[in-house]
């Protein structure tokens, strides 16, 4: 995994959470919108599945997955913030934080930093290269990130 992909992973996790939330809402709507036919004949057993219970069960399963992903997201964001803080170059830290933690474009980051777009683009490129070099072993699964406290 390269630096840009790792730094962008919280965005991917957030997108996955949003998709799961949408699916959960779908199942909850299906569970609450099912109409039950009113028959004069009462049947104690049925071969038809309980659609309400199945939809509620599916929604609950998605809820558990959403909770798990929120935990992964929280840990990933905290780890990334620590890694960015240990870059030892203020410009690198600033641009990486704005782009990957705050979700801003490079153009927005350049305006907030009071720098030209081209300068910020170059700093971003250099920051990614420095991040990749500093955390190469971690990014390539060779060891855990060792961050000073």
């Amino acid at each position: 995994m390269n630096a840009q992909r790792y730094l962008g992973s919280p965005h991917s996790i957030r997108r996955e959470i949003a998709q799961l939330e949408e699916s959960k809402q779908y199942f909850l709507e299906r569970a609450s919108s099912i109409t039950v036919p009113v028959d004069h004949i009462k049947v104690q057993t049925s071969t038809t599945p309980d659609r309400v219970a199945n939809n509620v069960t599916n929604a609950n399963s998605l809820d558990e997955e959403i909770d798990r992903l929120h935990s992964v997201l929280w840990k990933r964001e905290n780890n990334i913030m620590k890694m960015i803080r240990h870059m030892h170059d203020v410009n690198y830290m600033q641009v990486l934080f704005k782009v990957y933690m705050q979700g801003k474009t490079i153009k927005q980051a350049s305006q907030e930093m009071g720098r030209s777009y081209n300068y910020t683009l170059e700093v971003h490129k250099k920051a990614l290269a420095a991040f990749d070099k500093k955390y190469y072993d971690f990014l390539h699964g060779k060891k855990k990130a060792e961050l000073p406290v």
Side-chain angles (χ1 to χ4, degrees), residues 40 97 105 128:
H40 295 330
F97 184 78
T105 64
L128 287 176

Side-chain angles (χ1 to χ4, degrees), residues 71-101:
S71 177
V72 168
L73 177 63
W74 184 83
K75 289 175 187 173
R76 179 70 53 90
E77 285 180 330
N78 280 318
N79 197 43
I80 289 172
M81 283 192 289
K82 286 178 187 173
M83 293 168 92
I84 289 172
R85 276 196 311 264
H86 291 96
M87 288 299 296
H88 303 297
D89 183 302
V90 175
N91 290 321
Y92 291 178
M93 292 182 337
Q94 203 173 18
V95 76
L96 292 177
F97 184 78
K98 287 184 180 303
V99 172
Y100 296 102
M101 298 310 300

Side-chain angles (χ1 to χ4, degrees), residues 43 58 63 85 149:
V43 179
N58 289 338
D63 232 0
R85 276 196 311 264
V149 179

Side-chain angles (χ1 to χ4, degrees), residues 1-3 5-7 9 75-76 78-80 83 131-147:
M1 178 180 303
N2 66 16
R5 187 168 177 202
Y6 180 73
L7 290 167
S9 64
K75 289 175 187 173
R76 179 70 53 90
N78 280 318
N79 197 43
I80 289 172
M83 293 168 92
F131 190 95
D132 194 40
K133 183 178 179 183
K134 183 173 181 83
Y135 298 110
Y136 182 86
D137 288 342
F138 170 75
L139 294 172
H140 297 281
K142 295 181 182 175
K143 67 178 180 179
K144 288 190 171 196
E146 296 171 9
L147 305 173

